[in-house]
Amino acid sequence: MLVSSLSVSAKPVLELSEEIVDFGAVRLDPTVHRKKLLVKNIGDEPLVINQVSSTCHCVEASWWIRPIEPGSSDTIQIDFEPDVSGKVSKKLIIYSNAQNRRVPFRVKADVHFTGIPRRLED
């Protein structure tokens, strides 16, 4: 009797709490606005985030470089420093060892210029 076994590859699976991190209405000034994005591992092996890439220097992401165990969660800190006024939408991609190796999400904001008008002299 020949017994064969199928090898099923167990992998981590990355799940985000939201696909759009919305900063809402913000002023165009040198303030850094900060939000946290919840990342959950719904797979069977530890999840390791390797990189978070951004399409703009106005958005940066930081996280602890440590495995996220199956069924556990951690956060990615998103820092947004607006550099233009108007509606902003930036794409970021999380790279990891997960089955879904590249997970995109967006950062959006409505940036308002709130400068002080110059007084006209007579």
Side-chain angles (χ1 to χ4, degrees):
M1 175 185 224
L2 179 64
V3 177
S4 75
S5 69
L6 294 175
S7 173
V8 176
S9 174
K11 287 220 175 226
V13 178
L14 189 150
E15 180 180 78
L16 298 178
S17 59
E18 55 195 314
E19 292 180 10
I20 299 174
V21 178
D22 190 352
F23 282 88
V26 297
R27 290 177 31 172
L28 179 60
D29 61 23
T31 302
V32 175
H33 303 276
R34 187 166 283 156
K35 288 212 173 210
K36 299 217 182 248
L37 176 64
L38 185 68
V39 177
K40 185 171 184 179
N41 179 4
I42 59 171
D44 299 324
E45 293 291 324
L47 169 69
V48 177
I49 296 171
N50 301 315
Q51 178 184 1
V52 180
S53 69
S54 172
T55 58
C56 177
H57 66 279
C58 63
V59 180
E60 291 186 11
S62 57
W63 65 97
W64 287 99
I65 301 176
R66 62 179 173 221
I68 302 171
E69 295 300 320
S72 295
S73 300
D74 207 341
T75 58
I76 296 175
Q77 179 176 296
I78 309 297
D79 291 342
F80 172 60
E81 185 174 357
D83 57 358
V84 295
S85 63
K87 298 214 182 275
V88 175
S89 178
K90 302 298 178 183
K91 181 179 179 181
L92 287 88
I93 300 174
I94 301 171
Y95 295 91
S96 71
N97 67 329
Q99 181 177 342
N100 50 340
R101 297 178 80 67
R102 296 171 34 131
V103 176
F105 69 98
R106 289 201 158 289
V107 167
K108 76 176 199 172
D110 191 5
V111 182
H112 297 277
F113 179 73
T114 55
I116 300 169
R118 282 183 28 188
R119 183 176 173 171
L120 297 177
E121 296 186 41
D122 296 311

